[in-house]
Amino acid sequence: MSEAPATVNSESVVTVLVAALMNLGIALAKLIAGILGGSAAMVSEAAHSAADTVTEVMLYIALRNSAKPADERHPFGYGSTAYLWAALAAALTFVAGGLFSITHGFHSLHDGAEGDYLLSYIVLAISFVLESVSFGRTIVQLRGESQRWSVRPRAFLRHTPDTSLKAVFLEDLAALIGLLLAATGLALTEITGSPVYDGTASILIGALLLVVAVLLGHANVSLLIGKSLPPRFRGAVRAELEAGAHITAVQDLLTLQLGPTSVIVAAKIDFSDSASGEQIERTCRELESRLRERYPMVMYVFLSPWGEADPARAAE
């Protein structure tokens, strides 16, 4: 077994903090514009940004707590706390953002169209620029990390255990779409004089937040329960083990994502009958060293010599 303290992904921390600070300022501006202009969509957008701000604060807490080193009570570290906090953040987005926006939109469908929307348009335009900056930074990080693993950004986003990156990506994307919905609702309400379009925009913004919350909740709950590594990663680890000296087959390979930066690898290995105890020990040490060198997130390696290999099971 090998032990090493988890480390915080500094890029993810900066990405989360940048998004949180931008969303806080945007939420206040949207709220003022919504109240002064009497727009339900703007108030919903303010709730959207406020929920995103609190969510990103929770993601920051998750990143910091998950990096605490292992101790006697928690021998595998605190990596899974990242998924707990992220799941709570998704629930907050669902309730505070999605349900509020939908409820507020329904209540506003028959309100009179009132106020001057000029301030709202200005706030929406500035918000779109700021959200684009945050989204651009997230895209840069996403592309960089996907290139590091030689996979497409979409595949990396689907399988990455760094749920903070996934959360910021989805929230920024939803924010940009929400701004376009709010601007469209305001414009149609101003042109027609009907509040239905503004209220409908608020409902659509809420529905968008519900979709994001469900996606993030599902991803984090799956990791919190215990999820193996993607098939491509497992295949690479199996190939690394099978290349070891005196190894005839890898019978069972189990992997578990403990946290954003920590993984367990456990395997039952069939060694050749001629291998001595010393050779088996040396091979296990070499394999552990190679795995950790190639994949820094592999924190714990358990290799168990086993009996004769079952060819059918080994092939599977």
Side-chain angles (χ1 to χ4, degrees):
M1 182 183 76
S2 62
E3 293 187 28
T7 57
V8 177
N9 187 331
S10 58
E11 280 190 282
S12 295
V13 171
V14 173
T15 298
V16 168
L17 289 178
V18 168
L21 291 174
M22 285 189 177
N23 275 312
L24 179 60
I26 290 171
L28 294 174
K30 288 177 180 176
L31 181 61
I32 294 172
I35 293 174
L36 294 179
S39 167
M42 286 300 293
V43 173
S44 294
E45 271 296 298
H48 181 172
S49 296
D52 285 351
T53 302
V54 177
T55 294
E56 279 138 14
V57 170
M58 296 175 76
L59 290 176
Y60 174 77
I61 295 173
L63 287 171
R64 302 300 300 184
N65 285 347
S66 65
K68 292 169 62 177
D71 54 35
E72 185 176 352
R73 294 186 62 187
H74 300 88
F76 293 115
Y78 293 80
S80 59
T81 59
Y83 305 134
L84 174 62
W85 280 96
L88 292 175
L92 175 68
T93 300
F94 186 93
V95 176
L99 295 183
F100 171 81
S101 297
I102 291 175
T103 303
H104 186 64
F106 275 114
H107 289 165
S108 304
L109 285 175
H110 304 293
D111 290 347
E114 57 179 272
D116 185 0
Y117 294 148
L118 177 60
L119 178 60
S120 295
Y121 290 132
I122 294 174
V123 170
L124 287 174
I126 295 174
S127 299
F128 193 88
V129 172
L130 294 177
E131 292 287 3
S132 297
V133 171
S134 177
F135 190 58
R137 177 180 176 79
T138 305
I139 291 294
V140 169
Q141 181 184 349
L142 176 60
R143 287 179 175 173
E145 297 195 16
S146 62
Q147 288 175 0
R148 190 180 308 161
W149 291 102
S150 301
V151 296
R152 295 181 179 180
R154 181 182 298 180
F156 178 82
L157 190 67
R158 185 169 63 251
H159 294 295
T160 178
D162 186 357
T163 52
S164 61
L165 175 60
K166 184 180 296 187
V168 174
F169 175 86
L170 291 177
E171 287 172 358
D172 285 348
L173 179 61
L176 292 173
I177 297 173
L179 290 170
L180 294 176
L181 289 173
T184 302
L186 283 177
L188 291 175
T189 293
E190 189 172 29
I191 293 171
T192 64
S194 171
V196 171
Y197 299 103
D198 185 45
T200 301
S202 177
I203 294 171
L204 291 176
I205 291 168
L208 181 65
L209 284 175
L210 293 185
V211 171
V212 171
V214 169
L215 290 175
L216 290 177
H218 178 268
N220 284 286
V221 170
S222 177
L223 286 163
L224 190 59
I225 293 172
K227 187 176 181 180
S228 66
L229 299 178
R232 180 176 177 179
F233 197 150
R234 293 200 305 272
V237 171
R238 178 179 287 275
E240 196 77 36
L241 294 175
E242 289 175 340
H246 311 292
I247 291 178
T248 59
V250 177
Q251 295 193 42
D252 288 305
L253 174 63
L254 302 177
T255 60
L256 179 64
Q257 191 76 53
L258 291 174
T261 59
S262 56
V263 169
I264 284 181
V265 173
K268 293 179 180 179
I269 297 177
D270 182 42
F271 288 88
S272 61
D273 294 337
S274 60
S276 65
E278 181 181 353
Q279 289 173 325
I280 290 175
E281 290 178 3
R282 183 168 60 252
T283 297
C284 289
R285 288 195 297 268
E286 290 174 353
L287 287 174
E288 178 178 351
S289 178
R290 274 163 36 193
L291 281 175
R292 295 198 57 197
E293 181 179 357
R294 184 174 180 184
Y295 306 110
M297 78 289 297
V298 175
M299 296 283 178
Y300 305 92
V301 179
F302 300 92
L303 302 178
S304 175
W306 206 250
E308 294 184 359
D310 181 347
R313 191 171 187 181
E316 181 184 358

